[in-house]
Amino acid sequence: MNRRTVLGLGLVPFVPLPSSRPALTTVAAASAARTDRRPVAGGVHDPRAGKTFISWGGFQEDNYVQEYDHLLAVWSAPVRVAGGDNDSHNYPTLIQADDGHLLVFRGLHNRELWVARSPAPHSIAGTWTDTIIPAGLGATYPMPVKTSTGDIFVFIRETAGDFDPAFPTDTRPMKYVRSTDDGLSWQSSTALTGDRWCIAPLNRADNMNEIYLGQIRVEGDRIAMVWTLAGGGPEGHLHDRYHRNVYYATFSPDDLRFRSAAGRDLGTSVDDADQERYLKVAATELQPVNPRSPDYISLVGSTLGGRAPFVVWMQLDAQARVHTHSAVHLPGVGWRATELGTGARVRDMEPADDFSWRVHATPDPAATGVDTYRLVPGLPWRRESTLATPQPIQRIEVIAGHRRPARLLLTGASSAREVTVADGDVYVAG
């Protein structure tokens, strides 16, 4: 077990920036590096402690956390909890275990899964422990969730060829690890089910054997997820040369089985035949001019009391313009897709009421500000509001269980792709 000493907690007063929305607060100025984090597990509100906790990646993608004390109305100074190995893939994702301890996960790109644990529950203060999770060998893009029973799942992707040269570079399937004791011990999906991977579209004729999960979301007794494929396409075995198609499935933490939107039981693992026959939301063609379409980020949710799952995704045309799409699955009808419009890069979303969601997006081409759209799945969306920001925003996460003034975590865009440059602001908006 490695132990890392962190800085003592300082306090940053809650001082809103002058803007059209005074609830915008800069909590860490010129500190964030570029990140590839998906909209999962950016922050959480702790009602017992009356605090909100957030995480973000700084210089060399080192992992930082901060806390907001709702009684005192102050933000702590950033606390470094782990190193990021100088790689934008190694972003932090944060959840709170049922015992109150905070867990920050990172995947050392294609190699290892690590978890940093707060020394005390309900606080970021003190010396964190930083330990490897052996069951997460080969981890990239960690996506952690906590179920209603307190079990913790972390979905990760493996580059199969790094451990078995028989697999080409574009074989990158999904697996997961599970903890039933608040993150103290872990089992792999292989140990739990006997399956080497849990989502594995192997040996496709188009070489699209990589999975990019766009988002996962706990919905009652299930975990909903959306993904797109990547790979070399007609050019052979190449990593992330093209993207193709959109897929949806749910995963049950109780029996470790996947199901389609229509409820078909697919067992403990999904192969290519399963996803093509039962899980495909939208078919998209390979685009030689602008190959990475659909985009890496896609969103998942449901309406009508969970009976109508829906997804939101982005496609790029030959001129690199972003087109936003949504599809809803209606009982007895199937998937019905709608193009919502152009000029918006969707980042995250949250329920607005029983029937509609708020989708938070950034302008395309890149500009300052955050636009929020109201979406009733199956219908066109409408712009609801615009939040001014001092710099363009690269990532947005809705804080789990949020309480004002900390509803959205906004990571400002760094001025360079290299993570040795960390001059993006970190904001929180209420």
Side-chain angles (χ1 to χ4, degrees):
M1 177 179 293
N2 295 329
R3 300 183 69 87
R4 300 181 184 270
T5 302
V6 299
L7 300 175
L9 283 178
L11 296 178
V12 179
F14 172 52
V15 180
L17 286 172
S19 73
S20 61
R21 292 285 298 275
L24 183 72
T25 304
T26 303
V27 298
S31 299
R34 174 180 174 266
T35 178
D36 294 324
R37 183 162 75 179
R38 306 298 187 262
V40 176
V44 62
H45 174 63
D46 178 352
R48 175 175 168 179
K51 295 178 180 179
T52 293
F53 304 103
I54 61 171
S55 67
W56 47 270
F59 176 71
Q60 294 184 330
E61 212 59 39
D62 288 354
N63 292 185
Y64 288 87
V65 296
Q66 289 179 262
E67 69 178 37
Y68 178 73
D69 188 310
H70 288 265
L71 179 61
L72 299 177
V74 291
W75 281 95
S76 74
V79 171
R80 180 185 181 277
V81 299
D85 202 37
N86 200 29
D87 193 328
S88 63
H89 299 81
N90 299 342
Y91 46 70
T93 47
L94 179 153
I95 63 170
Q96 186 173 31
D98 274 1
D99 66 1
H101 284 85
L102 299 164
L103 306 177
V104 172
F105 299 90
R106 74 192 188 282
L108 295 187
H109 193 195
N110 296 340
R111 291 185 286 131
E112 300 162 350
L113 180 62
W114 287 73
V115 59
R117 182 181 178 88
S118 66
H122 312 290
S123 174
I124 64 173
T127 302
W128 289 55
T129 57
D130 189 29
T131 58
I132 191 171
I133 300 175
L137 182 68
T140 297
Y141 307 124
M143 292 189 177
V145 292
K146 186 180 73 171
T147 71
S148 58
T149 64
D151 291 351
I152 300 167
F153 287 79
V154 185
F155 286 82
I156 54 178
R157 196 179 76 177
E158 178 186 312
T159 300
D162 287 354
F163 304 97
D164 185 342
F167 291 102
T169 187
D170 51 10
T171 300
R172 305 196 180 202
M174 297 297 303
K175 58 186 183 181
Y176 59 85
V177 297
R178 184 188 72 177
S179 174
T180 59
D181 58 4
D182 300 315
L184 296 176
S185 64
W186 298 87
Q187 288 180 289
S188 69
S189 52
T190 302
L192 290 167
T193 68
D195 304 314
R196 185 169 184 176
W197 300 295
C198 66
I199 306 177
L202 303 181
N203 303 315
R204 287 177 59 101
D206 60 2
N207 299 312
M208 305 296 283
N209 302 312
E210 304 180 39
I211 298 290
Y212 275 106
L213 279 185
Q215 187 177 52
I216 63 176
R217 185 184 300 274
V218 175
E219 297 182 326
D221 60 355
R222 68 186 186 186
I223 300 170
M225 57 189 67
V226 57
W227 69 86
T228 191
L229 302 180
E235 297 174 35
H237 292 300
L238 300 170
H239 166 49
D240 198 27
R241 177 72 177 104
Y242 298 95
H243 287 191
R244 171 173 253 176
N245 300 347
V246 179
Y247 302 88
Y248 168 93
T250 64
F251 173 79
S252 170
D254 293 334
D255 60 13
L256 307 180
R257 302 176 77 84
F258 290 87
R259 291 172 173 82
S260 71
R264 175 175 286 273
D265 186 341
L266 301 176
T268 56
S269 66
V270 173
D271 61 19
D272 186 55
D274 287 337
Q275 72 171 4
E276 290 301 311
R277 185 172 182 182
Y278 302 115
L279 306 181
K280 187 184 291 184
V281 176
T284 69
E285 296 301 318
L286 302 180
Q287 293 185 207
V289 175
N290 190 9
R292 292 180 182 90
S293 175
D295 189 76
Y296 300 91
I297 289 179
S298 47
L299 309 177
V300 66
S302 64
T303 187
L304 298 179
R307 298 190 305 277
F310 75 98
V311 298
V312 179
W313 74 94
M314 296 173 281
Q315 291 178 223
L316 284 75
D317 63 24
Q319 288 72 45
R321 291 174 301 197
V322 174
H323 297 250
T324 305
H325 299 257
S326 179
V328 61
H329 189 277
L330 299 175
V333 177
W335 288 103
R336 293 294 180 266
T338 303
E339 180 170 347
L340 301 174
T342 60
R345 283 191 170 270
V346 298
R347 300 300 186 183
D348 203 353
M349 64 182 184
E350 58 183 320
D353 53 39
D354 291 342
F355 302 101
S356 67
W357 287 62
R358 287 188 174 92
V359 182
H360 305 291
T362 55
D364 181 74
T368 60
V370 174
D371 296 320
T372 297
Y373 297 82
R374 183 67 74 94
L375 174 64
V376 176
L379 299 176
W381 67 3
R382 62 177 175 83
R383 183 178 293 188
E384 186 176 65
S385 64
T386 296
L387 173 67
T389 61
Q391 62 182 206
I393 301 300
Q394 61 167 325
R395 290 292 188 268
I396 301 172
E397 286 95 22
V398 176
I399 296 172
H402 53 76
R403 174 186 169 191
R404 292 181 64 87
R407 185 165 61 95
L408 301 179
L409 171 61
L410 313 175
T411 308
S414 178
S415 61
R417 290 182 60 85
E418 296 78 13
V419 295
T420 53
V421 178
D423 55 8
D425 295 339
V426 180
Y427 311 108
V428 168

